[in-house]
């Protein structure tokens, strides 16, 4: 059967109109109904990058594939190529940038490794610093735009507190002062964001090494451990990998695997068609995608001799089919984009296991048995129900060990929370994720379990651990409800079945290295070594040496990223004093970070009410204080304003109150909100210390600053001329004799708050203001209580009431 006839005879997939946002804008395209959303987005992005018609709204994807096929092969093969790509048999894309190759096997080769490593470090640091600098400068620009008021004042760090902090942070990060000043000037001119592209980073490095040169191999392996972007190859592998250019193509093997067997004729035809396509595009390399899944579907362990022999036979068939295309060669490479287009791994390595992922009708991703997993269980003779329960779990927690319904209800979980968690099990990566506060309800976690809002806001918060469940119990329950237990622990499998179902997470590096060595005469397969973040350079060197000893032509290290909570704790090194010097006494200051806890106000609290009018708009300001006099809450009433503005101010006061109760200093609020400018604004009446304000918020926090912080600089400038006291009485009142009158305590102490604890006859007596030094020379009068008893001749006379307090000689006696 000819390739074109074979491809054309295949039934095409069902097409339907699908929505996609690939390329940054929503659109509809006509595409296969069975494709997951991620695969559809990848194909639309591929068509857009190639300039095909699927980039236009409402276009059909098969039309874009027809256009690509006409460009690549044309004639009678175009229709077969478009049909094969739409059916998911073939995919193509331009090859990535060729790796920077270096041969370090020569006499001067060892000196090249430090140079290559320095270049890689410089690129990584430039990218990290560019990202950090962009964040700092955007914070500076945002601080300018968030300020309301005079434009010059908002762009002055001396007058804009937020800008001062952002500027200080930018300078502390090492940014040049001139660059920070440029960002401020741009923000003043209207720029809203600082855009800086990250420097180009080389896709990878290809280093030729000699396994017999231990020193050079060690240096190269350590460099690969550090960068994660180096492939180490021996002679033949180096030549094959350094020739990677042009286009890449892949054939999905599982498309030709059926319960009745492998469609070898269809596979040959697809390889011939792929070879013609790559040749028409100028040449390239072709991978057999999904080799691990295909061998797993046959029930063969990836590291077995039978699997290696079958893989060799498959590549021999493909090589024979490509015999007439000198510009096309077989290859094995890691290509995430091509793998997504086909739904199969383009790198020859063990499969991930019989469990795959599917997409529900509403777009949710759930775990299920893959196509290869179904075939593997069938050919191995495994019980389907038992296998499904072990691999996917029971889907509920009613009989789960350690974390069952009874244990959950004992801790306060109700049927509502348990049902929500169980409904999330098929879509969650772990049992911990199924019990996340966002799933079972943050209110339940806080109100019933007792977690604080700060704790549940932490991405690493574990509800089950907080409730008291041990890690071992959670792991057992997860294996029962969600599956995922190691396949080697399944007592219902024979050793041969367990070996065939084992995924690469259950295997070490040996099966992949032995497969690469077996395929080496025909195709170069780089062995991918996945290392944990905490793996040491010495471990990396040992693994690289061991892989190359098997005959594998190339090896690449892929070190995991650091955990999200990874941080280096600063440690002060111990310094021992010289023996000849005497010990020096030092004072050690210990800073203890206290957890932010809300400080509740007493149920019966004191405070005051200030009535004033800002620009003719009445404002009633209520305060609530702790027992020590510290401000703990404010309330705002503006009865004659619109409902929206009044509600906004009420909720603003609540937000300020919560901040005060969580320990935010009042002066932070004062600095942030004074000088804000919006209507209503203007003269202030009814307040003896604040006579004008630029906004309601400006008035509120001027009053708070003057009354609670002693910020006289926020009071009106003419206060000294009026010399008013706290009750609003000034010079004119005292001139009329008001200051000479005793003031009842009821002016300052609430009778209702004190509940009669303050006597009715308690008064505050006035103190006559005198010149400097006079108060130190006077004494307290027993008759009126004023500090006004002074010496007049031989007697002590009170200047306030005229009472004679005694004679000097009597006091001495």
């Amino acid at each position: 059967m000819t390739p074109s006839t074979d491809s054309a005879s295949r039934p095409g997939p069902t097409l339907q109109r699908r929505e996609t946002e690939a390329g940054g804008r929503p659109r509809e395209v006509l595409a296969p109904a069975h494709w997951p959303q991620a695969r559809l987005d990848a194909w639309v992005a591929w068509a857009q990058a190639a300039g095909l018609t699927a980039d236009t709204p409402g276009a059909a994807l098969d039309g874009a594939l027809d256009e690509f096929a006409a460009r690549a092969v044309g004639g009678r093969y175009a229709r077969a190529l478009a049909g094969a790509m739409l059916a998911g048999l073939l995919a193509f894309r331009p090859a990535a940038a060729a790796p920077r190759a270096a041969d370090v096997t020569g006499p001067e080769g060892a000196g090249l490794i430090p140079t290559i490593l320095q270049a890689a470090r410089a690129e990584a640091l430039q990218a990290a610093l560019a990202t950090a600098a962009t964040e700092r400068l955007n914070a500076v620009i945002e601080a300018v735009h968030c300020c309301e008021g005079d434009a010059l004042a908002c762009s002055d760090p001396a007058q804009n507190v937020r800008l001062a902090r952002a500027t200080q942070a930018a300078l502390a990060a090492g940014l040049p002062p001139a660059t920070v000043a440029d960002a401020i000037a741009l923000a003043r001119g209207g720029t809203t964001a600082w855009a800086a592209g990250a420097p180009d980073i080389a896709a990878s490095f290809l280093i030729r090494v000699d396994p017999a040169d231990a020193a050079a191999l060690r240096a190269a392996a350590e460099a690969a451990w550090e960068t994660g972007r180096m492939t180490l190859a021996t002679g033949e592998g180096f030549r094959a990998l350094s020739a990677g250019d042009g286009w890449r193509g892949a054939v999905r093997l599982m498309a030709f695997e059926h319960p009745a067997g492998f469609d070898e004729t269809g596979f040959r035809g697809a390889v011939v068609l792929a070879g013609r396509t790559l040749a028409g595009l100028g040449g390239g390399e072709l991978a057999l995608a999904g080799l691990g899944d295909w061998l797993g579907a046959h029930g063969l362990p990836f590291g077995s001799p039978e699997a290696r022999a079958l893989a060799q036979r498959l590549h021999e068939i493909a090589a024979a089919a490509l015999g007439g295309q000198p510009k096309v060669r077989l290859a094995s490479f890691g290509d995430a984009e091509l793998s997504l287009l086909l739904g199969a791994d383009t790198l020859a390595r063990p499969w991930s296991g019989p469990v795959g992922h599917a997409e529900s009708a509403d777009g949710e991703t759930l775990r299920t048995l893959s196509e290869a997993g179904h075939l593997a269980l069938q050919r191995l003779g495994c019980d389907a129900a038992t296998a499904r329960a072990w691999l996917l779990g029971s889907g509920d927690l009613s009989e789960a060990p350690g974390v069952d319904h009874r244990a959950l209800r004992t801790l306060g979980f109700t049927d509502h929370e348990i049902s929500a968690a169980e409904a999330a099990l098929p879509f969650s990566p772990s049992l911990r994720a199924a019990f996340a506060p966002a799933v079972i309800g943050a209110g339940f976690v806080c109100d019933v379990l007792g977690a604080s809002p700060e704790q549940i806001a932490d991405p690493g918060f574990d509800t089950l651990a907080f409730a008291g469940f041990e890690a071992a119990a959670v792991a057992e329950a997860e294996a029962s409800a969600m599956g995922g237990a190691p396949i080697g622990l399944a007592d219902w499998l024979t050793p041969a079945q367990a070996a065939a179902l084992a995924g690469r997470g259950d295997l070490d590096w040996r099966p992949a290295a032995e497969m690469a060595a077996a395929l080496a005469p025909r195709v170069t397969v780089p062995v991918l070594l996945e290392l944990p973040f905490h793996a040491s350079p010495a471990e990396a060197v040992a693994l690289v040496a061991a892989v190359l000893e098997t005959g594998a032509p190339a090896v690449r290290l892929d070190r995991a990223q650091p955990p999200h909570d990874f941080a280096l704790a600063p440690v002060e090194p111990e310094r021992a004093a010289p023996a000849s010097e005497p010990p020096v006494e030092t004072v050690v200051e210990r800073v203890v970070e206290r957890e932010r806890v809300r400080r509740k106000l007493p149920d019966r609290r004191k405070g005051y009410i200030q009535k004033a009018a800002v620009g003719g708009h009445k404002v009633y300001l209520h305060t609530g204080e702790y027992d020590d006099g510290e401000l703990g809450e404010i309330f705002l009433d503006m009865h004659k304003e619109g409902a929206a503005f009044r509600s906004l101010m009420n909720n603003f006061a609540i937000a300020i109150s919560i901040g005060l109760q969580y320990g935010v200093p009042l002066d932070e609020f004062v600095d942030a909100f004074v000088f804000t400018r919006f209507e209503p604004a203007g003269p202030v009446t009814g307040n003896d210390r604040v006579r004008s304000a630029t906004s309601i918020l400006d008035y509120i926090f001027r009053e708070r600053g003057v009354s609670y912080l002693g910020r006289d600089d926020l009071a009106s400038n003419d206060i000294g001329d009026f010399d008013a006291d706290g009750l609003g009485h000034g010079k004119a009142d005292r001139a009329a004799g008001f200051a000479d009158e005793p003031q009842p305590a009821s002016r300052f102490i609430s009778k209702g708050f004190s509940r009669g604890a303050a006597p009715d006859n308690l008064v505050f007596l006035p103190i006559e203001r005198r010149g400097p030094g006079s108060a130190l020379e006077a004494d307290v009068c027993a008759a009126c209580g004023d500090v006004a008893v002074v010496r007049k001749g031989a007697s002590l006379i009170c200047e306030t009431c005229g009472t004679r307090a005694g004679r000097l000689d009597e006091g001495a006696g």
Side-chain angles (χ1 to χ4, degrees):
M1 183 181 295
T2 63
S4 58
T5 305
D6 177 72
S7 300
S9 64
R10 293 181 180 276
T14 302
L15 302 181
Q16 72 177 25
R17 195 158 295 281
R18 305 275 303 275
E19 293 184 356
T20 177
E21 294 186 1
R25 57 188 176 92
R27 75 192 81 179
E28 286 189 350
V29 296
L30 199 61
H34 69 280
W35 280 2
Q37 187 65 41
R39 191 173 177 184
L40 171 63
D41 293 344
W43 273 106
V44 174
W46 171 86
Q48 179 182 5
L52 304 175
T53 55
D55 186 42
T56 60
L61 189 61
D62 58 347
L65 297 179
D66 287 336
E67 186 177 347
F68 171 79
R71 292 182 188 177
V73 292
R76 62 193 182 105
Y77 293 103
R79 183 183 175 188
L81 175 59
M85 295 178 69
L86 194 63
L89 277 64
L90 304 175
F92 305 90
R93 66 177 295 264
R100 288 192 282 186
D103 189 346
V104 299
T105 58
E108 301 179 356
L112 294 176
I113 297 177
T115 303
I116 297 171
L117 185 57
Q118 289 173 9
R121 287 172 176 171
E123 292 173 351
L125 288 176
Q126 287 173 10
L129 292 176
T131 301
T134 301
E135 292 177 358
R136 298 294 187 187
L137 294 174
N138 279 324
V140 170
I141 294 176
E142 184 180 1
V144 175
H145 285 290
C146 288
C147 175
E148 296 185 4
D150 181 69
L152 292 177
C154 287
S155 58
D156 184 1
Q159 301 183 59
N160 185 339
V161 178
R162 181 172 179 178
L163 177 60
R165 293 173 180 161
T167 301
Q168 184 179 8
L171 295 175
L175 294 179
T179 304
V180 180
D182 290 347
I184 296 175
L186 290 172
R188 187 168 61 243
T191 301
T192 58
W194 180 280
D200 293 335
I201 296 180
S204 61
F205 294 88
L206 178 62
I207 310 298
R208 180 181 179 180
V209 295
D210 182 1
D213 189 348
L217 181 62
R218 178 183 183 86
E222 289 179 347
W225 168 87
E226 180 181 340
T227 63
R229 296 190 288 123
M230 290 187 181
T231 299
L232 310 182
T234 56
E236 194 61 36
F238 178 79
R239 283 186 289 273
L241 295 176
S242 59
D245 54 5
W247 280 71
R248 281 179 171 178
V251 180
R252 187 168 69 91
L253 293 175
M254 285 303 299
F256 307 96
E257 186 64 39
H258 309 289
F262 182 65
D263 182 7
E264 183 176 332
T265 302
F267 171 69
R268 288 178 183 271
V271 173
V272 171
L273 187 58
R276 288 182 178 273
T277 303
L278 289 173
L281 294 170
E285 49 192 10
L286 179 67
L288 305 185
L291 178 65
D293 287 337
W294 185 72
L295 293 174
H298 281 260
L300 297 176
F302 194 82
S304 65
E306 295 81 4
R308 291 194 290 272
L310 191 58
Q312 288 175 326
R313 171 60 182 158
L314 190 68
H315 281 81
E316 289 174 358
I317 296 173
L322 292 176
Q325 302 295 341
K327 294 183 179 181
V328 182
R329 60 188 176 279
L330 287 177
S332 177
F333 43 77
D335 192 314
E337 182 177 339
L338 205 55
S339 298
L340 185 57
L341 292 174
L342 278 180
D345 194 351
T346 57
L347 182 63
R349 58 176 175 170
W351 68 339
S352 58
V355 177
H357 293 85
E359 190 173 278
S360 63
D362 55 356
E364 293 286 347
T365 301
L366 65 154
R367 300 167 65 250
T368 185
L369 288 178
S370 65
E371 178 187 6
H374 277 290
L375 291 175
L377 293 174
Q378 177 182 346
R379 289 169 176 171
L380 290 171
C382 301
D383 181 71
T386 304
R388 180 175 291 273
W390 181 270
L391 295 170
L392 301 178
S394 61
D396 65 76
L397 297 168
S398 57
E399 298 181 0
V403 189
D404 57 3
H405 288 187
R406 181 174 176 275
L408 290 169
R409 291 193 181 99
T410 302
L411 294 174
F413 289 81
T414 65
D415 291 341
H416 174 75
E417 288 78 33
I418 297 175
S419 299
E422 289 181 339
L425 288 177
F427 313 106
S428 301
S430 64
L431 188 62
R432 170 180 169 274
F435 277 89
V439 176
I440 64 175
F444 167 80
V445 179
C446 292
D447 299 339
V448 178
L449 298 184
S452 66
E454 290 78 11
Q455 288 176 311
I456 66 173
D458 182 3
F461 179 75
D462 188 342
T463 303
L464 294 175
F466 185 83
F469 289 103
E470 296 182 356
V474 174
E476 292 181 2
E478 181 173 306
S480 173
M482 304 180 66
I487 201 71
L489 300 179
D491 54 3
W492 50 275
L493 292 174
T494 65
Q497 292 172 332
L501 295 176
R504 58 175 170 267
D506 305 310
L507 304 173
D508 60 10
W509 55 270
R510 290 179 179 82
E514 292 170 353
M515 178 65 73
L519 297 178
R522 197 170 297 277
V523 60
T524 297
V525 180
V527 178
L528 182 62
L529 295 179
E530 297 178 339
L531 301 179
F533 173 72
H534 295 289
S536 66
E539 293 173 333
V541 172
L543 284 174
V544 168
V547 169
L548 295 180
E549 285 180 0
T550 64
V555 59
R556 181 184 178 94
L557 295 180
D558 185 11
R559 188 162 159 241
Q561 295 295 318
H564 72 278
D565 57 349
F566 176 77
L568 288 177
V571 179
E572 184 68 24
E574 298 181 0
R575 298 179 180 178
S580 59
E581 297 181 2
V584 179
E585 182 179 357
T586 59
V587 177
V588 179
E589 178 183 3
R590 182 181 182 186
V591 179
V592 179
E593 181 70 21
R594 180 172 61 87
E595 181 182 2
R596 289 294 183 187
V597 179
R598 187 175 182 180
R599 181 186 177 194
K600 295 289 187 179
L601 281 160
D603 294 334
R604 188 177 181 84
R605 65 201 68 159
K606 52 188 171 59
Y608 71 89
I609 302 175
Q610 172 71 58
K611 173 187 175 183
V614 179
H617 296 256
K618 288 185 179 180
V619 182
Y620 292 85
L621 181 59
H622 304 245
T623 68
E625 302 174 3
Y626 294 100
D627 292 336
D628 59 1
E630 183 180 349
L631 181 64
E633 67 179 358
I634 64 172
F635 292 98
L636 301 175
D637 289 329
M638 301 182 69
H639 299 294
K640 295 186 179 180
E641 303 300 325
F645 186 78
R646 186 170 64 249
S647 300
L648 180 64
M649 296 305 295
N650 288 339
N651 285 279
F652 174 78
I654 293 173
I656 295 297
S657 301
I658 292 175
L660 292 170
Q661 293 167 26
Y662 271 103
V664 178
L666 176 60
D667 56 359
E668 293 287 340
F669 288 125
V670 172
D671 291 338
F673 292 108
V674 294
F675 302 113
T676 53
R677 187 180 300 274
F678 58 87
E679 296 295 333
V684 177
T685 59
N687 192 305
D688 61 306
R689 300 301 305 277
V690 181
R691 298 300 179 89
S692 65
T694 59
S695 66
I696 293 293
L697 295 187
D698 178 57
Y699 163 71
I700 292 169
F701 288 98
R702 281 178 183 271
E703 166 62 27
R704 298 282 71 77
V706 170
S707 299
Y708 284 97
L709 302 177
R711 292 283 300 274
D712 292 335
D713 59 304
L714 299 177
S716 298
N717 294 331
D718 58 354
I719 293 301
D721 298 334
F722 288 93
D723 198 18
D725 57 23
L727 296 177
H729 302 295
K731 289 181 177 180
D733 299 313
R734 288 195 294 276
F738 179 85
D740 296 334
E741 299 176 3
Q743 302 298 311
S746 59
R747 284 182 176 271
F748 306 98
I749 302 175
S750 169
K751 186 174 182 179
F753 181 80
S754 63
R755 289 177 174 169
D760 294 337
N761 60 351
L762 179 64
V763 297
F764 286 94
L765 296 173
I767 298 177
E768 183 66 23
R769 301 188 179 186
R770 299 176 177 81
S774 60
L776 299 176
E777 301 170 0
D779 206 346
V780 179
C781 177
C784 67
D786 197 1
V787 186
V789 177
V790 297
R791 173 184 176 182
K792 290 191 176 181
S795 301
L796 298 174
I797 305 299
C798 178
E799 289 186 334
T800 300
C801 63
T803 302
R804 180 183 177 186
R807 296 176 59 86
L808 290 174
D809 53 358
E810 293 176 359

